[in-house]
Amino acid sequence: VAQRLAVIGGDAGGMTAAAQARRLDAQLEIVAFEKGDWTSYSACGIPYVVSGAVGAIDDLVARSPQEHRDRSLIDVRTRHEVMGIDLGNRRLEVRDHGHGRTIQVPFDEVLIATGARPVRPDLPGIELDMVHGVQTLSDAAALLQYAEKSACRNVVVIGGGYIGLELAEAFVERRARVTVVEARHHVMGTLDGDMAAPIEDAMRKLGIDVRVDTAVTGFADQIVQTADGPILADLVVLGLGVAPNSALAADAGVDLGVRGAVAVDRRQRTSVEGVWAAGDCTQSFHLVSGQPVHIALGTVANKQGRVAGINIGGGYATFPGVLGTAVTRVCSTEIARTGLNEQEASAAGFEFVVGRIDGTTSASYFPDAQPITVKLLAERRTGRVLGGQIVGGTGAGKRIDVVATAITAGMDVQQVVDLDLGYAPPVSSLWDPVASAARVALAAL
Ligand SMILES: Cc1cc2nc3c(=O)[nH]c(=O)nc-3n(C[C@H](O)[C@H](O)[C@H](O)COP(=O)(O)OP(=O)(O)OC[C@H]3O[C@@H](n4cnc5c(N)ncnc54)[C@H](O)[C@@H]3O)c2cc1C
């Protein structure tokens, strides 16, 4: 068992691992470096601080540096940025921004949990002050400061993924005029195009100017330039996805995998003995395609951190892989997906049928019944569920968990039809919408 564990990155992946390792090994010396001011925070909550639904950035902190010190005896050092990992001498080079000095810190084992960063396309003007990416609480603080300082009447969100859409809605709540620019044919690229129409309708109803098939070509003073002409902007938010922060690992000689994410085995071990990785900087395996993937989600980061921590603490745990299950709510519309979409299923070599239904979240005669659309993909030969997507009103999104469970259990659509799911008029239609979609897929088979 290690004597000193150094953790790089103080959020979900890093601190979950550190706290877990502590539970198993009371003797382990644990030091954690975080370049920002906060630890164990919910980046997922940032859009709701921007909108005003959540009062302050500090409300998003689940465990502060002091709480980690007191409860888990972890030596947390904020405003400490790890600049290099010297694997030959088992030493970190750390920049202590608070004191303006650089220190060398020895370690026996190291966990890399440096997260990801928003993709910044190489376009003219990208370095302008008004262009913001959002990943950490420090990014959120900078965004809020800028939004408060500038009049922030015109906000342009580049990219129609879930982070972009959540922030678009947040700025509508702040009474800004919001434009979402998406280069592809539809928003929410992790869903199939036929599921995106109700999302775009809901956004437009809220007053968001949704421009699909529109490529951004550059930024100038208070202008976003697109192939279709300029758009006024006091503030630009990048929502083009994230790239793993893996340069530190690569420079140290640790192998990278898919999309430049740190390659790990099932126990979160990297290619170098005593070097572990977890969270958004790390790759994982897709449970349906069997391929390595980089899926940056808080759910995955926490689970990988837990697995790494158990193993570092001397226990045994494995991370089985992911389905990319994700759920969000944008403009009162709940959006969810799991497994493979049509494009991903084809790329993985599957032939499939589709079962798609439009239904309601409660009995159709019930006064507040909300629309729900469920789409399932099932393998043509076996009927096995490969993926699912759901779009609808309140109560629609979390139904994706039934689909995720079915995929994980290797169920076919007949078994989903046969599931004994609950029903009462205020909470479901008699045939649960997921089971109804499975019936349509079964008929197509
Ligand atoms: C706006 C937004 C909404 C989201 N919503 C959801 C959601 O609804 N559901 C969901 O599952 N996921 C969501 N996510 C994703 C989720 O927040 C991330 O997957 C999760 O935070 C990843 O945790 P992590 O510890 O791997 O990385 P991060 O949270 O990025 O933490 C990495 C930390 O490492 C620090 N760091 C980096 N390099 C160094 C260095 N060299 N030295 C010291 N410190 C360093 C960074 O400052 C950072 O604090 C959302 C993310 C954002 C930005």
Side-chain angles (χ1 to χ4, degrees):
V1 176
Q3 302 103 56
R4 179 186 252 199
L5 167 70
V7 174
I8 311 173
D11 193 22
M15 298 318 290
T16 305
Q20 187 65 49
R22 163 63 68 236
R23 268 178 223 130
L24 295 186
D25 186 347
Q27 308 304 319
L28 185 65
E29 195 186 326
I30 308 177
V31 55
F33 298 103
E34 166 54 51
K35 69 178 175 183
D37 290 312
W38 293 274
T39 53
S40 298
Y41 52 83
S42 166
C44 318
I46 291 172
Y48 311 102
V49 177
V50 173
S51 73
V54 174
I57 280 185
D58 286 327
D59 294 345
L60 301 182
V61 176
R63 199 176 270 202
S64 68
Q66 195 56 46
E67 285 168 331
H68 278 296
R69 290 181 198 115
D70 295 344
R71 291 193 207 168
S72 303
L73 299 178
I74 298 167
D75 177 7
V76 180
R77 312 224 194 138
T78 51
R79 296 196 199 179
H80 280 64
E81 181 171 0
V82 177
M83 310 303 287
I85 310 172
D86 178 351
L87 286 174
N89 295 304
R90 294 299 228 213
R91 256 201 317 255
L92 298 181
E93 182 186 313
V94 184
R95 186 73 188 152
D96 171 359
H97 292 294
H99 297 95
R101 57 179 185 169
T102 299
I103 54 175
Q104 307 286 327
V105 181
F107 64 83
D108 299 293
E109 310 248 336
V110 64
L111 172 80
I112 302 169
T114 43
R117 62 181 183 286
V119 169
R120 289 182 88 86
D122 190 16
L123 292 172
I126 187 80
E127 70 291 343
L128 286 173
D129 275 358
M130 69 169 180
V131 182
H132 289 253
V134 187
Q135 170 75 14
T136 63
L137 280 200
S138 306
D139 297 336
L143 176 75
L144 280 168
Q145 206 179 13
Y146 190 91
E148 270 147 31
K149 174 180 91 184
S150 74
C152 202
R153 281 184 302 268
N154 298 297
V155 174
V156 178
V157 175
I158 316 286
Y162 79 95
I163 290 180
L165 297 195
E166 288 174 5
L167 283 161
E169 184 178 15
F171 277 103
V172 170
E173 300 282 318
R174 290 177 75 101
R175 305 195 183 289
R177 209 169 8 222
V178 180
T179 307
V180 173
V181 184
E182 167 58 58
R184 280 182 286 200
H185 197 50
H186 63 90
V187 298
M188 287 302 293
T190 55
L191 269 64
D192 295 323
D194 61 325
M195 297 295 283
I199 306 169
E200 291 170 13
D201 286 349
M203 291 168 69
R204 290 193 172 107
K205 254 188 221 146
L206 204 74
I208 298 173
D209 182 358
V210 184
R211 303 198 190 180
V212 292
D213 296 315
T214 306
V216 172
T217 53
F219 308 91
D221 187 28
Q222 300 206 310
I223 295 282
V224 173
Q225 283 145 347
T226 75
D228 300 334
I231 306 172
L232 275 182
D234 308 304
L235 173 67
V236 175
V237 180
L238 297 173
L240 294 164
V242 294
N245 273 331
S246 53
L248 208 55
D251 290 348
V254 174
D255 287 352
L256 302 186
V258 63
R259 293 184 60 215
V262 180
V264 287
D265 67 6
R266 286 170 175 271
R267 298 185 70 186
Q268 302 300 130
R269 291 182 292 212
T270 71
S271 59
V272 178
E273 177 78 33
V275 180
W276 308 76
D280 281 6
C281 64
T282 313
Q283 76 174 27
S284 44
F285 288 88
H286 200 284
L287 285 168
V288 183
S289 72
Q291 302 289 319
V293 284
H294 175 243
I295 292 183
L297 284 172
T299 46
V300 176
N302 274 281
K303 285 182 201 142
Q304 289 185 339
R306 180 172 174 276
V307 167
I310 291 172
N311 289 316
I312 292 168
Y316 174 78
T318 57
F319 182 70
V322 296
L323 291 174
T325 308
V327 60
T328 185
R329 191 189 64 186
V330 177
C331 308
S332 304
T333 299
E334 296 186 359
I335 305 161
R337 55 97 58 219
T338 187
L340 304 178
N341 62 27
E342 288 199 30
Q343 198 194 344
E344 291 162 341
S346 298
F350 288 110
E351 282 195 16
F352 54 87
V353 298
V354 169
R356 195 193 131 128
I357 59 104
D358 294 313
T360 47
T361 52
S362 40
S364 55
Y365 55 79
F366 214 76
D368 59 1
Q370 302 282 316
I372 179 171
T373 302
V374 180
K375 176 172 179 174
L376 292 183
L377 270 60
E379 189 187 8
R380 184 180 293 285
R381 188 175 62 82
T382 61
R384 177 164 73 109
V385 184
L386 300 175
Q389 298 162 49
I390 297 178
V391 176
T394 304
K398 279 293 273 179
R399 287 180 150 99
I400 203 70
D401 292 344
V402 173
V403 186
T405 307
I407 299 174
T408 306
M411 293 169 74
D412 60 32
V413 279
Q414 177 69 64
Q415 289 171 306
V416 176
V417 171
D418 293 342
L419 280 174
D420 186 10
L421 302 176
Y423 157 69
V427 290
S428 181
S429 45
L430 190 137
W431 275 94
D432 183 274
V434 170
S436 294
R439 282 175 63 174
V440 177
L442 191 60
L445 279 169

